[in-house]
Amino acid sequence: MKSYDPHEIEPRIQLQWEEQGVNAVDENSDKPRKYVLEMFPYPSGDIHMGHVSNYTYGDLVARFSRMRGFNVLHPMGWDAFGLPAENAAIKHHSHPAKWTYDNIDTQRESFKRMGFSYDWDRTVVACDPEYYRWGQWIFLEFWKRGLVERRNSPVNWCPGCQTVLANEQVTEGRCWRCDSEVEKRDLTQWYYKITEYADQLLDDLDQLTGWPENVKQQQANWIGRSEGANVVFDLVPLPGQATAEPASITVFTTRADTLFGCSFFVLAPEYPGLPELVEGMPQRDEVLAFAEAAAKVSAVERAQGDREKHGVFTGRYVVNPVNGEQVPVWVADYVVADYGTGAVMAVPCGDQRDFEFARKYGLPIVPIILEDGDPLLDELAGEQGRVVDSVDWDEAMAAEGTLVQSGEFTGMRGGKHSEGEEAIVAKLEAEGKGNRTVEYRLRDWLISRQRYWGNPIPAVHCPECGVVPVPEDQLPVRLPEDIDLAAGETLATHAGFVNTTCPKCGGPAKRETDTMDTFTCSSWYYMRYCDPHNVHAPFASDRANAWMPVDQYIGGIEHAILHLLYSRFFTKVLRDAGMLDFDEPFTNLLCQGMVLDANGEVMSKSKGNVVSPEDMIDQYGADAVRAAMLFMGPPDKEKLWNEDGLAGMYKFLNRLWRIVFDLVGKAGDDTLFDPEADASKAHELAMAMKRERHRVVGKVTDDIERNNFNTALAAIMELTNATAAFLRLRPAEHRTQCETGGPLCRDVADTLVKLMAPIAPHFADELWQTALDGEGSVHTQPWPTYDPSLAVADTVEIAVQLNGKVKTRIEVPADADKDAMVEAGKAAISNALEGKAIVKEVAVPGRLVNIVAK
């Protein structure tokens, strides 16, 4: 028998796949199509265990789907623009392109070594001019459709990366990439108007039945649609001001029913009219200093409910439109400008943040909504005016209840979309003091980046014509290759790039020197895979529509908002442009869990706990690494890497290797049999093996389709064990059956090899060719079929209990009814029942009989 040597087998089998075009996509195939895709990686160098996890899952699904009769598109590329390459080039006095393409070469070889079944002819690299040309084309298409805007606004500035960040790229006040503390700056930037699609992005989450609920919830929360009302508060004029109509401040609220409880008014530190509001006031300097300091803390951090709140009184007042009371205006750091109008009507009796602020600064907490049974309810329910100005509660009250101290609305039910809320909004609308509206947390996508290594924004600044789009026939706007980043040169200082002519008037002009956020590259790459060599368009619509949406998408949960939300946005815009005929890019989404070290810590070079996949492959082979990763646990859960598990998997592959050769009579000296075994026992074990063959094929098929890869492999191990039991205990004369290729033995060997093909592809292909004498590749063979009726045993072993204690075990027909089970059970323990009266008989089909007797 040939020994299992992965280091000899794997490179040879990989060469066969390449020569035979096993992984190439046939556009003319009449098979049903399936698109399997993993999120493409950043070319940061050697692959890590996260790569092994993500891409092994995808490769298993792709190989399984091919054997199930699908024409599978399974491509790979690289998300190649970005700061790491630029920073590495500066550090090493190199060029980002060289650093990037060198790393791509390294990763490509590692992916090939892992046996991933990619169609390499469809490779997409984001920094290739032939790719980013079409990213610029898409930018111009967005521009034509009114979805591009350039405006001055406060932005998130990362001092570490020296560029702006979108809101989604700020995590707890820090840069998502370098962890620097983010600052606020006023800059003129480019935006994609994703807010135009806010309703669609939210409503269409219902279509995504194949997505994890937590991912959909994260997106829903980020979009943050709130139905409510705008309410106008007139600003009380200062003494000596003109008597003209006073200025006003509008707030957005989902709880207009609580207006009678507004005891103070709060502005965000970034509120645009704040300097004018406090001009000439004694509090001016204190307010502006506070606002400047508070604005440095990120909106996300400031909005956290458990953070201590701070504020300053402005000296100004506004008029509550429902009762005419003057309300003091404060500036506070728990209010952010990114939601609503940047102004809040504070109702401390019903909002915990307002409550904590009021308690800290001694502001009134006016009760206006009470739960049923509250002692105050009887006292205040019938009152139309104010009786209680403030209460000494420990916390804010419930969100719903009965309105009190609310004028004509007292006694109505309060809450979102309640009777009281509707009535108060109706009154505000009738008096011109408010109107129904919808607000969103989502803000337009800031795509400008002040770095070199990105896709240039195709725009020209002309002193005569203004900002002019670059004509399509002049694309791509190429990055200059002769830039000296180490010397501090940028696109803005590179004369050869900046100086150009206006495409509209022909006069001297300047190029836009900002590049696009790298997420613009990853928001449509999956479409390019459908038609990667198209030189006339980003992709042909018929090809994209034929393959998409992606049937199975696999990647990290960390992309739940950024990449996945942006990709959905791009898909909808290109659909509306007539280029696509579907609404959503990814039908099914699998978010894999992180691979941690043996102590449960994230692997990092700084911690010295990185496990190198290349080292593991050198020792055990790629198939053992793949199988060990799949066996570690459910793919969506965190996994602790344990090399002992890898060693155990390598041992299992060697065992299975020998068993397959034994089943077809080629094991030689390694053949398993018992010269003294009973022939009837061998027959019984053969039938058990046959049942397992059909049961396991059904289970593995179902498990893979539900992404339960670890239990699928466990089931294959169960079939392996049943097979080994038969081989080990068969009598010597049964050996000839295997040597001549007995039908059952051959079928089980064929089944085991095919079930392992998506998991350990080199291993399975070598067994297919050498042990089974198969033609071509096992990966072009059909998946094993199974008969559910053959997976059921004729008999089943049950426990027989007397008064709850097991007395014996017996076999009964698998389809025996309860009466038959009870009779068989009583017969089995008849001696123990002598002289006793049976009180009760219990039968659990397939498990036990319990006789209760005295």
Side-chain angles (χ1 to χ4, degrees):
M1 179 185 73
K2 176 180 179 179
S3 62
Y4 173 53
D5 181 1
H7 305 300
E8 184 277 327
I9 293 169
E10 291 175 357
R12 176 167 47 79
I13 293 294
Q14 290 162 15
L15 184 60
Q16 288 181 15
W17 293 338
E18 191 171 335
E19 292 174 344
Q20 296 169 12
V22 170
N23 303 323
V25 178
D26 181 5
E27 287 283 355
N28 299 316
S29 173
D30 58 2
K31 295 179 180 179
R33 298 187 177 205
K34 178 171 276 192
Y35 191 171
V36 179
L37 183 65
E38 306 96 64
M39 295 179 185
F40 65 170
Y42 191 82
S44 54
D46 294 339
I47 65 171
H48 52 68
M49 297 310 291
H51 291 127
V52 172
S53 168
N54 193 32
Y55 302 130
T56 296
Y57 296 150
D59 195 60
L60 184 153
V61 174
R63 290 184 181 277
F64 169 74
S65 300
R66 290 191 190 98
M67 296 180 74
R68 292 278 281 169
F70 288 94
N71 183 23
V72 176
L73 173 59
H74 187 217
M76 176 49 65
W78 280 271
D79 189 10
F81 274 136
L83 287 170
E86 185 168 340
N87 291 339
I90 294 172
K91 180 179 179 180
H92 299 291
H93 299 278
S94 181
H95 193 281
K98 182 180 187 319
W99 186 88
T100 298
Y101 281 103
D102 285 349
N103 285 342
I104 286 174
D105 291 342
T106 298
Q107 287 192 352
R108 182 188 288 109
E109 290 309 307
S110 293
F111 291 160
K112 288 183 176 181
R113 196 178 181 197
M114 283 295 300
F116 298 146
S117 58
Y118 299 125
D119 182 350
W120 290 107
D121 184 55
R122 291 176 177 258
T123 299
V124 162
V125 179
C127 64
D128 184 338
E130 281 307 306
Y131 179 78
Y132 71 71
R133 165 193 182 185
W134 297 113
Q136 295 173 8
W137 185 94
I138 290 172
F139 175 93
L140 296 178
E141 183 65 27
F142 277 41
W143 199 342
K144 292 176 189 174
R145 304 185 68 79
L147 296 172
V148 172
E149 186 174 14
R150 189 170 181 267
R151 63 174 181 264
N152 184 276
S153 59
V155 298
N156 306 304
W157 176 265
C158 173
C161 296
Q162 287 292 297
T163 188
V164 299
L165 303 173
N167 287 345
E168 294 87 342
Q169 294 168 324
V170 179
T171 304
E172 295 184 355
R174 294 187 173 274
C175 172
W176 72 291
R177 188 185 297 279
C178 75
D179 202 41
S180 295
E181 187 173 345
V182 172
E183 304 170 357
K184 284 286 186 181
R185 293 190 180 182
D186 285 331
L187 295 173
T188 300
Q189 301 288 286
W190 293 88
Y191 292 83
Y192 274 156
K193 297 173 72 174
I194 191 173
T195 53
E196 295 288 320
Y197 282 79
D199 281 328
Q200 290 188 48
L201 289 167
L202 184 62
D203 295 342
D204 288 355
L205 288 171
D206 291 339
Q207 296 184 24
L208 302 177
T209 56
W211 281 40
E213 286 301 319
N214 62 330
V215 174
K216 294 195 290 182
Q217 189 60 53
Q218 284 188 56
Q219 291 211 1
N221 291 343
W222 189 258
I223 296 167
R225 181 167 64 193
S226 299
E227 298 179 6
N230 282 331
V231 181
V232 179
F233 285 72
D234 288 337
L235 190 63
V236 176
L238 293 172
Q241 273 190 340
T243 56
E245 281 293 318
S248 63
I249 300 177
T250 300
V251 301
F252 170 78
T253 179
T254 61
R255 297 297 305 275
D257 56 303
T258 65
L259 263 166
F260 283 86
C262 175
S263 60
F264 60 100
F265 200 83
V266 187
L267 300 178
E270 305 91 344
Y271 186 76
L274 183 61
E276 292 77 15
L277 185 74
V278 296
E279 187 61 38
M281 300 295 296
Q283 298 92 338
R284 175 187 178 280
D285 292 344
E286 182 185 7
V287 168
L288 295 183
F290 172 83
E292 182 180 0
K296 294 179 180 179
V297 182
S298 79
V300 174
E301 186 177 355
R302 282 164 39 202
Q304 291 176 350
D306 57 355
R307 186 175 184 272
E308 185 178 358
K309 297 155 187 64
H310 305 87
V312 176
F313 176 47
T314 65
R316 301 300 304 272
Y317 291 83
V318 290
V319 178
N320 188 328
V322 294
N323 58 15
E325 291 187 359
Q326 293 191 7
V327 179
V329 179
W330 287 66
V331 176
D333 59 3
Y334 72 96
V335 178
V336 296
D338 281 347
Y339 180 76
T341 64
V344 170
M345 57 173 230
V347 182
C349 81
D351 182 276
Q352 187 61 27
R353 294 176 306 166
D354 295 341
F355 178 87
E356 292 170 2
F357 191 85
R359 283 276 295 267
K360 180 174 181 177
Y361 291 101
L363 297 166
I365 301 173
V366 182
I368 48 85
I369 186 166
L370 300 173
E371 291 180 318
D372 295 340
D374 190 292
L376 274 176
L377 188 57
D378 290 339
E379 178 184 346
L380 301 179
E383 299 291 343
Q384 295 293 308
R386 179 76 59 77
V387 175
V388 179
D389 287 323
S390 191
V391 288
D392 186 19
W393 291 340
D394 292 328
E395 59 183 358
M397 294 299 290
E400 296 184 0
T402 300
L403 293 179
V404 297
Q405 302 196 130
S406 298
E408 64 194 271
F409 308 102
T410 295
M412 290 185 179
R413 194 69 182 170
K416 285 187 178 180
H417 310 297
S418 65
E419 171 195 16
E421 193 267 351
E422 292 181 0
I424 290 176
V425 173
K427 181 175 181 179
L428 290 169
E429 288 182 322
E431 295 177 353
K433 293 295 185 180
N435 61 279
R436 285 271 176 212
T437 189
V438 177
E439 277 287 336
Y440 299 86
R441 180 174 185 262
L442 180 68
R443 290 295 178 257
D444 285 332
W445 175 9
L446 192 162
I447 66 167
S448 298
R449 297 296 180 269
Q450 291 69 45
R451 299 303 295 246
Y452 162 75
W453 193 236
N455 191 358
I457 292 176
V460 170
H461 299 270
C462 174
E464 299 296 327
C465 306
V467 183
V468 181
V470 173
E472 292 178 14
D473 60 5
Q474 294 182 22
L475 301 181
V477 176
R478 288 178 175 264
L479 288 171
E481 297 180 5
D482 60 343
I483 196 165
D484 189 350
L485 296 173
E489 189 173 21
T490 66
L491 287 179
T493 61
H494 191 286
F497 178 82
V498 174
N499 295 320
T500 186
T501 56
C502 174
K504 189 173 182 180
C505 70
K510 303 288 186 182
R511 287 197 185 280
E512 172 61 59
T513 57
D514 282 357
T515 54
M516 292 188 227
D517 180 5
T518 55
F519 281 98
T520 62
C521 299
S522 60
S523 295
W524 70 281
Y525 77 104
Y526 45 89
M527 302 174 192
R528 183 68 176 177
Y529 280 143
C530 300
D531 192 14
H533 306 298
N534 195 324
V535 297
H536 304 292
F539 51 85
S541 294
D542 58 343
R543 290 203 171 188
N545 291 329
W547 283 109
M548 291 191 67
V550 174
D551 295 283
Q552 181 65 69
Y553 199 36
I554 304 172
I557 189 69
E558 66 272 16
H559 297 295
I561 293 176
L562 293 167
H563 164 59
L564 292 172
L565 185 65
Y566 295 155
S567 295
R568 297 180 62 223
F569 169 52
F570 263 58
T571 298
K572 295 178 187 302
V573 175
L574 296 179
R575 174 207 60 195
D576 291 347
M579 299 175 67
L580 303 171
D581 63 6
F582 49 87
D583 299 328
E584 292 288 339
F586 314 119
T587 301
N588 296 291
L589 174 67
L590 170 61
C591 292
Q592 93 278 9
M594 291 186 66
V595 182
L596 308 175
D597 71 6
N599 297 317
E601 295 186 359
V602 176
M603 295 184 188
S604 69
K605 292 180 180 178
S606 62
K607 293 180 181 179
N609 64 345
V610 172
V611 175
S612 167
E614 292 287 346
D615 291 345
M616 299 297 100
I617 296 171
D618 288 341
Q619 189 168 355
Y620 298 102
D623 283 336
V625 174
R626 291 170 58 117
M629 180 61 70
L630 293 168
F631 196 59
M632 284 169 62
D636 58 338
K637 305 300 182 185
E638 289 184 344
K639 290 163 280 291
L640 300 182
W641 179 255
N642 185 340
E643 193 171 337
D644 291 342
L646 177 56
M649 189 57 66
Y650 180 71
K651 184 177 180 180
F652 166 72
L653 292 179
N654 276 277
R655 178 175 180 240
L656 180 54
W657 177 275
R658 185 194 65 215
I659 286 173
V660 170
F661 274 95
D662 200 349
L663 281 168
V664 295
K666 293 184 179 181
D669 294 339
D670 290 326
T671 298
L672 299 176
F673 68 94
D674 181 356
E676 300 180 0
D678 178 76
S680 62
K681 181 63 174 177
H683 176 75
E684 180 183 325
L685 290 170
M687 293 303 97
M689 179 175 68
K690 181 178 180 179
R691 288 194 298 272
E692 278 292 270
R693 177 253 182 261
H694 287 274
R695 181 190 72 83
V696 167
V697 171
K699 178 168 176 52
V700 171
T701 303
D702 183 59
D703 282 353
I704 293 178
E705 288 179 341
R706 292 187 296 114
N707 297 329
N708 292 336
F709 309 134
N710 57 319
T711 55
L713 183 49
I716 297 172
M717 292 177 176
E718 292 167 0
L719 176 56
T720 302
N721 291 337
T723 304
F726 163 71
L727 293 174
R728 185 168 55 250
L729 297 179
R730 61 189 164 149
E733 59 266 25
H734 280 225
R735 178 177 181 178
T736 57
Q737 292 184 8
C738 292
E739 288 176 345
T740 57
L744 177 57
C745 292
R746 171 75 195 199
D747 180 50
V748 172
D750 182 271
T751 298
L752 283 166
V753 170
K754 289 179 177 177
L755 291 180
M756 286 297 295
I759 296 169
H762 315 86
F763 169 90
D765 227 343
E766 184 69 4
L767 284 174
W768 172 255
Q769 296 172 35
T770 56
L772 302 180
D773 299 318
E775 302 228 350
S777 171
V778 69
H779 302 289
T780 63
Q781 303 303 308
W783 187 251
T785 58
Y786 65 99
D787 184 342
S789 66
L790 297 179
V792 180
D794 296 329
T795 62
V796 62
E797 184 180 79
I798 65 170
V800 180
Q801 299 176 341
L802 178 59
N803 297 329
K805 295 183 178 180
V806 176
K807 289 294 184 181
T808 187
R809 294 182 180 274
I810 61 173
E811 287 201 356
V812 298
D815 58 354
D817 60 21
K818 291 185 178 181
D819 291 340
M821 289 174 61
V822 168
E823 290 305 314
K826 289 192 292 186
I829 59 171
S830 57
N831 291 339
L833 290 174
E834 286 185 8
K836 295 181 178 180
I838 295 175
V839 176
K840 188 176 182 180
E841 300 169 345
V842 178
V844 180
R847 291 185 58 194
L848 62 86
V849 167
N850 182 32
I851 308 298
V852 181
K854 293 183 178 179

